[in-house]
Amino acid sequence: MKKKISAALLISLLAATRVNAADPTVESVSASIDMMWVMFGAVLVFLMHAGFAMVETGFTRSKNSLNILMKNMLTVAVSSVLYFVVGFALMFGSSKGGFIGSSGFFLNGESDQMSFFVFQIVFAATCATIISGALAERMKLSSYMMLTIAMVAVIYPVAGHWVWGEGWLSKLGFVDFAGSTVVHLTGALGAAVAVTFLGARLGKYGSDGKVNAIQGHNIPLGALGVFILWFGWFGWFGFNGGSTLTADPALVPGIIATTLMSGSCGVLSSALYTKFRYKRIDASLTLNGALAGLVGITAGTANVSIPGAIVIGLIAGIILVEAVHFINSKMKLDDPVGAITVHGICGIWGTLAVGLFDTANGLFYGGGVQLLGIKALGIIAVMGWTIGTVGLFLFVLTRFSSIRVSSEEEIAGLDFAGHGSSAYEFRESFVATGDGNLHPEFGVGLIDRLNKVGKVSDKPHISNVNETV
């Protein structure tokens, strides 16, 4: 009896499918494939958030791991809701003077853009997540989330509208295929401003100005994060490849190829350059070399050749090594995961590289300096907008309360201080009493001890993972 019922249900389902489904056409099949390609890219870019979380967790101290995981999880959730409410409209709505979008709030009237909307959500969350790593180990979770809200709701969408939403930069011919400027530079600039307001972690810089290494707790976890980002930029490949918005057989393979080659060459050049500069291959810089090459190619991945991508990646890896040292030792910006360098400095390089290597209009291909000038103008505009708005937001925020945790909380670790738990089964030995309260003498002498370990001279030195990633 059960077999007869199952057979009858199957026949009914097949009959209904034949009645209700229109005969497929070339156009409908093509549209379905394009939609699936964009959704596949969105899923891979979403996976990148696991990579960001692993990189940030691995290259910082174990006592802050749970806090970092919570930041990354909340960033995705808050970004998704905010981008639905306001971000998508400001970025892709009807343009007001080429500056800002003005329609499509709550996706009103944009129901036919659902796949594009989902793809753009994960981009917006990526921009916000870039900031997280630079602020690790000392920023209040509530303050970080308020900054995330400002970035996703207003700051990032406006910059994106200029370039991708029929804004004034796009009309000038500014090319940023998958976001070296829109996503990476915007996020890195937000991070740089926030780090300036926050200051360095306790013990990072001694009273004599020397740099103290603060070691990350799990380098293999950080390396796993880099590999996830590389795959999930399939994530980079999805980040770049999905940005075609169509499964174009003439375009997608080239994008994947240039993405792969630039990322690979970033690894090679950073490894070889650290061998030359420091007499050994620096592991953390080499890991970051992959990300440097990937950020570098993101703007021009559809516009450059494979040889051009190779050169872009090779230069990005060298820029990374020098910029990390300069930002960490000279500018005294304490960025535990190197977000400012990887996404900011290499984002600038990647944007300018289009003006040099674009096979249609680049300087090296006979196109003159016009495109290069437009790229420089766009970089300056995005820098002015992001630095100004983030700086104003944090200035106002800090008038009401501190955005930084207390010294006691920072020393104890943000896991117990902020969440009452830990990512691991053990507690740091200096988080002491059974009732969870700190000893009265808690932290006495610790800063002096931190100031005496890991000191380096002004001479270029072998970098530590927390100085580079």
Side-chain angles (χ1 to χ4, degrees):
M1 183 65 180
K2 290 182 179 179
K3 290 182 179 180
K4 290 182 179 179
I5 294 175
S6 299
L9 290 173
L10 179 59
I11 292 171
S12 299
L13 178 61
L14 291 173
T17 301
R18 292 185 60 135
V19 169
N20 294 323
D23 291 335
T25 64
V26 173
E27 290 76 13
S28 65
V29 172
S30 178
S32 296
I33 293 173
D34 290 343
M35 182 273 293
M36 288 303 299
W37 172 248
V38 174
M39 288 297 91
F40 180 61
V43 169
L44 288 175
V45 177
F46 183 87
L47 179 63
M48 289 176 62
H49 292 281
F52 280 122
M54 295 303 97
V55 167
E56 186 179 347
T57 301
F59 294 140
T60 52
R61 290 167 290 186
S62 60
K63 62 183 180 180
N64 299 304
S65 298
L66 183 61
N67 175 261
I68 289 168
L69 295 175
M70 289 299 96
K71 281 197 303 177
N72 280 269
M73 183 69 72
L74 289 171
T75 296
V76 175
V78 168
S79 297
S80 299
V81 174
L82 275 177
Y83 202 71
F84 166 72
V85 173
V86 65
F88 184 81
L90 296 181
M91 193 163 177
F92 294 104
S94 299
S95 185
K96 289 292 185 181
F99 181 77
I100 194 170
S102 60
S103 62
F105 297 95
F106 295 92
L107 283 189
N108 184 31
E110 302 289 347
S111 59
D112 59 336
Q113 299 292 315
M114 194 62 67
S115 62
F116 180 68
F117 163 70
V118 173
F119 189 67
Q120 291 300 327
I121 280 179
V122 290
F123 269 55
T126 297
C127 179
T129 301
I130 289 169
I131 299 175
S132 174
L135 310 179
E137 302 196 302
R138 74 266 202 204
M139 190 174 193
K140 291 179 180 178
L141 180 59
S142 58
S143 299
Y144 167 76
M145 294 312 304
M146 292 182 71
L147 179 57
T148 296
I149 290 171
M151 286 294 298
V152 176
V154 179
I155 299 169
Y156 166 76
V158 169
H161 182 79
W162 295 355
V163 178
W164 291 340
E166 300 183 356
W168 66 276
L169 280 175
S170 67
K171 292 178 180 178
L172 289 176
F174 187 89
V175 177
D176 188 8
F177 183 76
S180 286
T181 292
V182 175
V183 178
H184 297 287
L185 180 57
T186 301
L189 290 169
V193 175
V195 169
T196 302
F197 273 83
L198 269 179
R201 290 168 292 173
L202 295 175
K204 177 62 178 179
Y205 300 106
S207 57
D208 54 1
K210 299 296 179 62
V211 180
N212 298 323
I214 299 178
Q215 186 71 34
H217 85 281
N218 195 328
I219 307 308
L221 190 64
L224 174 62
V226 171
F227 278 110
I228 292 174
L229 287 171
W230 197 340
F231 171 75
W233 218 295
F234 255 2
W236 233 293
F237 295 145
F239 203 90
N240 289 352
S243 293
T244 61
L245 302 180
T246 61
D248 187 344
L251 188 60
V252 171
I255 289 173
I256 301 299
T258 54
T259 301
L260 176 61
M261 297 305 291
S262 185
S264 298
C265 289
V267 171
L268 295 175
S269 64
S270 58
L272 293 174
Y273 190 67
T274 55
K275 175 67 174 178
F276 166 77
R277 200 182 197 287
Y278 304 126
K279 310 307 177 186
R280 67 184 68 179
I281 294 176
D282 185 280
S284 58
L285 283 171
T286 302
L287 289 172
N288 252 5
L291 304 183
L294 292 167
V295 170
I297 197 60
T298 297
T301 182
N303 302 81
V304 305
S305 65
I306 288 180
I310 289 173
V311 175
I312 290 171
L314 290 173
I315 294 175
I318 296 172
I319 289 173
L320 168 78
V321 176
E322 290 299 332
V324 160
H325 175 73
F326 181 79
I327 289 174
N328 183 55
S329 300
K330 304 303 180 183
M331 295 183 68
K332 295 293 192 293
L333 292 178
D334 181 15
D335 176 3
V337 299
I340 298 170
T341 299
V342 169
H343 301 279
I345 305 301
C346 293
I348 291 173
W349 160 241
T351 302
L352 293 174
V354 180
L356 301 174
F357 295 97
D358 186 301
T359 56
N361 301 300
L363 178 63
F364 295 158
Y365 290 82
V369 298
Q370 181 178 359
L371 180 59
L372 186 61
I374 292 171
K375 305 295 283 183
L377 174 63
I379 290 169
I380 293 171
V382 171
M383 289 181 68
W385 165 253
T386 306
I387 292 173
T389 51
V390 174
L392 177 62
F393 175 80
L394 290 177
F395 176 80
V396 173
L397 186 61
T398 53
R399 299 310 95 185
F400 294 94
S401 65
S402 172
I403 62 175
R404 182 167 180 151
V405 300
S406 67
S407 298
E408 292 79 8
E409 290 173 323
E410 185 175 343
I411 294 169
L414 303 189
D415 287 0
F416 278 99
H419 308 283
S421 185
S422 173
Y424 300 97
E425 293 183 358
F426 60 87
R427 295 183 66 173
E428 300 287 356
S429 59
F430 50 77
V431 182
T433 65
D435 59 3
N437 295 318
L438 302 177
H439 286 304
E441 68 274 14
F442 180 79
V444 173
L446 179 58
I447 302 305
D448 288 337
R449 294 197 298 275
L450 286 172
N451 283 338
K452 294 176 182 177
V453 299
K455 284 190 175 182
V456 296
S457 66
D458 290 328
K459 182 179 179 181
H461 59 285
I462 301 300
S463 56
N464 166 280
V465 70
N466 291 292
E467 299 171 322
T468 59
V469 179

